[in-house]
Amino acid sequence: MSNNPVKSPSCLLIALAVFGMSVFGVIQYRDDRDRFSGHSRLREFNFVLEVLTGQETSDWLYPVTRWTHPATVTVTHGDDAFRQDVTDAIHQINNALGGTGMNLSLVTGEADIVIEGWPLGSLWKTMRLWKTKDKYGCEAEGADYGFFCPIYNEKTGATIKAVLGVASGLPEQRTRSIVLEELVQVLGPQNDVPHFTDSLFFEPDDGAPPWNKQLSHRDNKLLRFLYLHLEPGDGPKEILAAFRKHWPTMASHPPR
């Protein structure tokens, strides 16, 4: 376990080693994938695979990462409106995760996930947002309006800590949208893909991504799939096997 909130080189080596162990199964995995009946099912699988094993700043495929226990969340900087955005995002995520054993809870004080909200505007204000990652000594994944720093257990690949920085006070529901996206990415699905326009993870091949994102039914299903049927360290072969077995009959919300 890392003592510092840093994605250390050893974490990346472990990730590459775990992925390397699956190389011998990749050819068979690709053959099995190509036997899907119908284009729509293959498209669904590509969505699942690319969101769960890709990262925003890399073309590499990485093993699955996720939490192995419920996580606490604290807001260390941000006004009341920002805290409400965090509360709303947590509520939406927990609705999707019901019955999986995973959930987020907002607390005061020390927590697994630290979130800071800083208003943009002047260069100095913008710099304060990005100084958050320096304060916690972490490597950030993200864009101009928000980022997340995941910290992994070096032996298992399970997520154990995270730091988020988000631009607060943006017009309409933009800040809430960014908080939601960063929190969901810290849960494990990190990559943005161009497959489904209603997805939280949608990003077109060219042009700006949409604002005011929400979790779609497919996104909810992805989160449930991740926390019910996958483990940290799983690669494409394991994802394919779980997809074939569980995805077609999975509901996007917990049973009532």
Side-chain angles (χ1 to χ4, degrees), residues 61-249:
L61 292 180
Y62 291 85
V64 167
T65 59
R66 73 169 181 84
W67 299 79
T68 55
H69 59 81
T72 52
V73 180
T74 192
V75 178
T76 60
H77 192 278
D79 59 17
D80 290 343
F82 182 77
R83 292 172 186 272
Q84 186 59 53
D85 288 337
V86 173
T87 299
D88 292 344
I90 289 174
H91 178 71
Q92 189 173 162
I93 290 169
N94 286 343
N95 280 343
L97 288 171
T100 66
M102 177 62 189
N103 62 76
L104 301 176
S105 56
L106 189 61
V107 300
T108 301
E110 186 174 352
D112 300 310
I113 301 172
V114 175
I115 305 179
E116 293 201 0
W118 290 95
L120 301 184
S122 67
L123 176 62
W124 171 243
K125 288 182 177 179
T126 302
M127 287 177 60
R128 285 194 303 185
L129 171 63
W130 286 94
K131 284 292 183 181
T132 299
K133 66 182 179 63
D134 298 329
K135 179 170 71 175
Y136 292 96
C138 63
E139 298 178 16
E141 306 283 355
D144 294 340
Y145 297 99
F147 63 83
F148 65 97
C149 306
I151 303 100
Y152 304 117
N153 182 300
E154 295 181 2
K155 292 183 178 179
T156 67
T159 313
I160 54 174
K161 290 282 185 182
V163 176
L164 277 65
V166 176
S168 62
L170 297 177
E172 301 176 353
Q173 303 297 318
R174 293 184 177 185
T175 291
R176 185 177 304 178
S177 174
I178 296 169
V179 170
L180 177 65
E181 183 170 7
E182 302 299 336
L183 268 178
V184 170
Q185 287 180 306
V186 131
L187 292 174
Q190 295 190 15
N191 200 23
D192 292 323
V193 296
H195 301 307
F196 299 103
T197 58
D198 65 338
S199 172
L200 181 76
F201 307 103
F202 175 71
E203 184 169 298
D205 290 327
D206 52 14
W211 288 103
N212 301 335
K213 294 182 176 183
Q214 300 290 333
L215 282 171
S216 68
H217 290 303
R218 185 177 288 104
D219 298 333
N220 288 344
K221 189 174 179 178
L222 178 68
L223 282 174
R224 298 182 61 73
F225 176 72
L226 172 61
Y227 279 91
L228 287 171
H229 303 301
L230 296 175
E231 296 293 335
D234 283 349
K237 187 177 180 180
E238 291 79 14
I239 295 173
L240 175 59
F243 181 93
R244 292 171 68 95
K245 183 176 182 179
H246 301 291
W247 188 266
T249 58

